[in-house]
Amino acid sequence: MSRGSSGIVVTLTVAAVAAVSFLAYQASANAPDTLAPKPKASSSSPATGHAKPKPTKDPLAVPGSSGTGMRVVYALGDRRVWLVNAKGKSTRTFKVMPSAVSALPGTYQVTSRSGSVTGSDGVPIEHVVRFATTNDVAIGFSAAQDGSMESPDPTLKAGGVRMSRADGNAVWTFATVGAKVVVVP
């Protein structure tokens, strides 16, 4: 090869490398993040991926918007009740089955109690703890004497918040007349 032709080859090689480099840069700049290479950890670089995970909310934790002190908390959306002691700690929590009529969110007091009656749906119930009235319907916690917690008939104007017999007994013991009941969304 002559000196002139080797200069041309070098020039063409440099131009080709430059063109390929430019195209590679353009392609990487426009590539979606899913195609981007993942960084590799090395002994000289700081560890990645060890950030503290965000704390997950405990689904059984007492709702923060439920006030303070000793109270019964009833979360309409979660269909859950908490019995909360004077220090703000839950002593018991459990699922409930609300009736067709519910109390509006707010703070109430237990107004009356009945040991054993027939519910407005015709079911024998026990440990009735009433705390609100909505559209002339008494709202309260109770347990069916047969232990059932079936979905209520939506056509009945009933306000019983049903729970298991064991949970009903716990509410009966905890929520005497005058006790605070907080209903949250």
Side-chain angles (χ1 to χ4, degrees):
M1 245 204 249
S2 69
R3 280 188 151 174
S5 62
S6 58
I8 293 173
V9 170
V10 168
T11 303
L12 288 175
T13 303
V14 168
V17 168
V20 168
S21 296
F22 175 75
L23 291 174
Y25 169 77
Q26 286 239 314
S28 69
N30 294 316
D33 291 338
T34 56
L35 297 178
K38 300 205 187 310
K40 295 180 182 177
S42 70
S43 59
S44 62
S45 67
T48 59
H50 294 295
K52 290 184 180 179
K54 291 181 181 178
T56 56
K57 183 181 178 289
D58 179 0
L60 302 181
V62 178
S65 61
S66 68
T68 60
M70 187 172 169
R71 64 202 184 277
V72 177
V73 178
Y74 173 32
L76 298 169
D78 290 337
R79 295 182 171 191
R80 179 168 291 280
V81 167
W82 291 261
L83 304 182
V84 182
N85 67 20
K87 294 181 180 179
K89 301 292 182 192
S90 174
T91 60
R92 186 179 188 117
T93 184
F94 47 89
K95 288 293 224 177
V96 296
M97 178 60 68
S99 269
V101 181
S102 294
L104 297 173
T107 301
Y108 303 88
Q109 286 187 329
V110 173
T111 55
S112 67
R113 299 168 15 121
S114 298
S116 178
V117 296
T118 299
S120 55
D121 57 358
V123 174
I125 56 176
E126 63 186 8
H127 297 137
V128 181
V129 176
R130 295 176 201 87
F131 61 90
T133 303
T134 301
N135 298 327
D136 297 324
V137 176
I139 311 295
F141 303 115
S142 63
Q145 290 180 4
D146 66 2
S148 65
M149 286 180 49
E150 297 175 16
S151 293
D153 180 345
T155 63
L156 291 178
K157 286 181 65 175
V161 180
R162 295 285 164 80
M163 56 197 63
S164 73
R165 292 185 81 185
D167 294 331
N169 187 49
V171 170
W172 179 260
T173 302
F174 187 87
T176 57
V177 172
K180 183 169 39 171
V181 177
V182 180
V183 178
V184 296

